[in-house]
Amino acid sequence: MLTKEYRICMPLTVEEYRIGQLYMISKHSHEQSEKGEGVEVLVNEPVDDPQLGNGQLTEKRIHLSSRLPSWIRGMIPRFFYITEKAWNFYPYTKTEYTCSFLPRFSVSVESRYEDDAGITDNCLNLPAEILLEREVDHIDIAQDCLPVHKYKESEDCTKYKSAKTGRGPLGPQWKEITHPIMCSYKVVIVRFEVWGFQTRVEAFVHSCIRDILLLGHKQAFTWLDEWHGMSLEELREYEKNIQAQTNQKVLSDGYCTGSAEAATPESTSVIDLSNSSASRLPAAEKPKP
């Protein structure tokens, strides 16, 4: 098991981030979906929690066969998917990923969003045993670099300036001088309990997740003028339209059923593994003496 807490600061408020994240997810999922591949929704219904209140439960299948590196594609069925279950009680969310083909593989993600600069030490109230294992990774949307093939000048936070809000470009010390600022805290636990591959595969999955979190949050900011000022109702209408277009791409192969819907930020990572900077065959671990 490998546990990391990603902290991604954004020059937004938590309420703005709610709209920006949903817009980014819909647009990004549409761009990444292809014939027979993408996100299929199985369950999308309200849920109540005695502590967290009213929320939304979704269950999805993420179809991604050709998105995987070639060394994985040779070991799995042609029509391969990961199951995602997500509980959204914004500003808190929890997401779990499993794969029936790999029963010893799972990913869990707990997220909370706060109006601070990533300084809360235990935002998600992790127990002591998890805190001991946790590695904190600060993702900087301005200074951290994407793989070369992912870079777009229009999505470069050091060059982008919002016409609507005047925010940007972001300099080296932007987190110290920017207002507003918020942080997305994400505790990601990856399990791959297969002897000889566990350490490398868990690190590989984290590398993929980090890449897409960086890309997605860069996009959420540099697309600011596209979504800023949208109401939640206007956003839902946008999602409805873009998802209808995505459906045509995802369902065109004839084996997917149901309706596609915007994935979570983490699920976009698993439909984009083949282009990750980490998409190399993890060498097997050496036997322990």
Side-chain angles (χ1 to χ4, degrees):
M1 182 178 78
L2 182 58
T3 303
K4 293 191 179 185
E5 180 178 311
Y6 298 100
R7 300 182 186 179
I8 312 109
C9 288
M10 298 285 285
L12 307 169
T13 67
V14 168
E15 286 307 308
E16 288 174 331
Y17 180 83
R18 184 179 191 180
I19 301 295
Q21 175 185 240
L22 291 171
Y23 180 91
M24 175 272 293
I25 291 167
S26 285
K27 182 174 177 178
H28 183 92
S29 295
H30 178 69
E31 290 180 349
Q32 294 298 318
S33 295
E34 296 180 355
K35 180 180 179 181
E37 305 225 339
V39 181
E40 172 194 4
V41 177
L42 305 176
V43 177
N44 186 5
E45 60 189 23
V47 62
D48 293 322
D49 183 274
Q51 293 183 329
L52 299 171
N54 297 327
Q56 197 75 8
L57 167 66
T58 58
E59 183 173 346
K60 305 169 186 175
R61 287 179 179 173
I62 305 163
H63 297 268
L64 44 68
S65 297
S66 72
R67 293 280 175 177
L68 297 171
S70 59
W71 57 270
I72 293 182
R73 291 202 301 270
M75 299 185 290
I76 64 170
R78 176 171 176 256
F79 299 135
F80 175 75
Y81 63 85
I82 287 175
T83 298
E84 173 198 284
K85 292 188 71 173
W87 295 262
N88 189 339
F89 298 94
Y90 196 87
Y92 169 82
T93 62
K94 182 176 181 179
T95 310
E96 295 178 349
Y97 300 92
T98 55
C99 174
S100 59
F101 183 72
L102 297 170
R104 295 186 178 183
F105 169 77
S106 66
V107 179
S108 68
V109 184
E110 282 192 84
S111 305
R112 188 175 292 278
Y113 313 104
E114 296 286 350
D115 283 312
D116 66 31
I119 58 174
T120 304
D121 184 58
N122 190 11
C123 182
L124 284 145
N125 298 315
L126 301 175
E129 60 270 21
I130 299 296
L131 286 175
L132 287 173
E133 298 177 355
R134 176 195 66 172
E135 175 187 335
V136 177
D137 185 344
H138 292 267
I139 296 178
D140 190 325
I141 64 170
Q143 301 303 308
D144 288 2
C145 296
L146 289 166
V148 174
H149 65 279
K150 291 285 187 182
Y151 175 81
K152 293 182 181 179
E153 187 172 0
S154 62
E155 296 173 0
D156 189 331
C157 299
T158 67
K159 299 180 179 180
Y160 172 78
K161 184 175 180 66
S162 166
K164 285 187 177 179
T165 67
R167 299 175 201 173
L170 304 180
Q173 305 301 319
W174 72 272
K175 287 190 283 187
E176 283 74 39
I177 62 176
T178 298
H179 183 79
I181 190 168
M182 58 79 60
C183 185
S184 171
Y185 294 84
K186 293 183 176 293
V187 174
V188 182
I189 300 176
V190 178
R191 294 181 177 89
F192 186 72
E193 298 173 351
V194 177
W195 185 85
F197 284 92
Q198 180 172 2
T199 300
R200 296 295 182 89
V201 169
E202 289 175 351
F204 164 76
V205 173
H206 268 289
S207 296
C208 295
I209 291 173
R210 192 188 197 282
D211 278 356
I212 203 64
L213 288 175
L214 176 59
L215 173 60
H217 285 80
K218 282 177 178 284
Q219 291 175 332
F221 176 59
T222 56
W223 295 344
L224 178 59
D225 287 344
E226 298 178 26
W227 59 261
H228 193 269
M230 271 187 173
S231 66
L232 193 56
E233 293 72 22
E234 290 171 331
L235 176 68
R236 295 305 184 194
E237 185 62 28
Y238 168 80
E239 284 182 323
K240 181 180 177 181
N241 293 334
I242 201 74
Q243 288 159 19
Q245 298 173 41
T246 305
N247 283 352
Q248 293 182 330
K249 298 169 74 174
V250 176
L251 305 179
S252 60
D253 207 32
Y255 72 89
C256 297
T257 59
S259 60
E261 186 169 289
T264 64
E266 296 76 38
S267 66
T268 57
S269 69
V270 294
I271 66 173
D272 205 24
L273 290 179
S274 64
N275 289 322
S276 167
S277 62
S279 58
R280 301 183 299 271
L281 172 64
E285 296 166 20
K286 295 180 179 179
K288 296 178 181 180

